[in-house]
Amino acid sequence: MAVIDLAKYSEKQIPKVRSEKLAKDSSVSSFMNTEITLFEKKFGPKEKEAFYSELGLLLSTGVDIKTAFEIIEEDIPNKKHKALLEQIKNDIISGMRIFEAVSKHEKVFSKYEAQSIKIGEETGKLADVLKELGIFYLSSIKLRRQIVGVMTYPVVVISMAILIVYFMLSFVVPIFIDIFTQTGGELPEITQFLIKVSNKSSAIFYTLFVFVGVIVILHKTQKKKEWYRKYTSAFFLKIPVVNKLIQKIYLARFCQSMKLLSGARVMINEALELVRNMIEYYPMEHALEMVKNEVVSEGKLLNESLAKHSIFPKKLIALIKLSEEVNAPEIIFEKLYQQYSSEMEHQQAVIGKLIEPIFIVILGLFVGFILVAMYLPMFEMSSGTF
């Protein structure tokens, strides 16, 4: 693989006249990094998937790093994304290793990505690592689309239900109230209750909107705080069916990441630390932190430490134990990743099928309750009991 080995160049070999240029590039990089994160279209999973896949493919065919970046830049329409890759390319040409150039943009590229690239450079498997990163982000994109697809229907149904109920309480029910008031009869309790709700409908729905707004703001401002992540993850893990899907999502990510790192022959403690920083799921992060400490300080095997945490299924632990015995972690983690990915898709399909009838029933109950409450006095009037 004809890839430029930038690791062999020392700092002394970099011309002194470039030191000022490197300092300026660093400040430009810092400014550009901030600008990228504030820009509406971020250098997100979709862009990263294309970048890593194309760069890995080009390097594997023998294209040098400079030419590879130039080829990729030509197909990028976004000027800020192109400027980002241009900066990384210039840093590499100036003498930096690829992972060092990427690490400068810490708000765009995670520590996991930078360390994976570093591992690829040190082991001579850079092209393979880049392709694996591309596959990782491709699976992330696919997962996000599946989740959006599953959640679109309930969001639409809930929104329609709220609008329909609000319209009926605010406009339809008052018409019936006027009719019932003229009769002077005693209304059924269910109708009286609905009238009270109708009189307070505006306040109820304004409160609901404020509540939703507070939840959104709380999520935006606190989503990276430990207390928020701890309690939200605990809440979702208590929801039937959904908790299984969430568990499989992060188990698939764990296995995919461990497969990449074990294939690159990364030390187990370093691999666990990288995966912990990347996983972004509190129960698993907390578990991996404890596992890493036990593996490093007490010399325990990975399967022994994982067995103490319920987030990891017994089958996964048994297969990891097997991989440690036969020294084939990469193969086992690949099989586990494929298995959890398949189970994850099945779980999403199940949730999708459950959500549709559940929300139809809920909407029907709301509308049915209003109709019964309104028409019950009319039936009593026709029978002479009102």
Side-chain angles (χ1 to χ4, degrees), residues 97 99 117-125 270:
R97 296 175 64 181
F99 88 91
I117 293 171
K118 178 183 178 182
I119 292 164
E121 290 184 278
E122 291 176 348
T123 59
K125 295 182 178 181
E270 185 179 357

Side-chain angles (χ1 to χ4, degrees), residues 79 97 178 197 209:
K79 293 182 179 179
R97 296 175 64 181
D178 292 338
V197 173
F209 287 133

Side-chain angles (χ1 to χ4, degrees), residues 156-190:
V156 171
V157 171
I158 290 172
S159 301
M160 291 300 297
I162 291 173
L163 291 174
I164 290 170
V165 172
Y166 178 74
F167 174 78
M168 295 185 74
L169 290 176
S170 301
F171 300 101
V172 178
V173 173
I175 296 174
F176 281 87
I177 292 174
D178 292 338
I179 296 172
F180 299 148
T181 303
Q182 294 174 6
T183 62
E186 185 178 354
L187 296 171
E189 291 185 5
I190 187 174

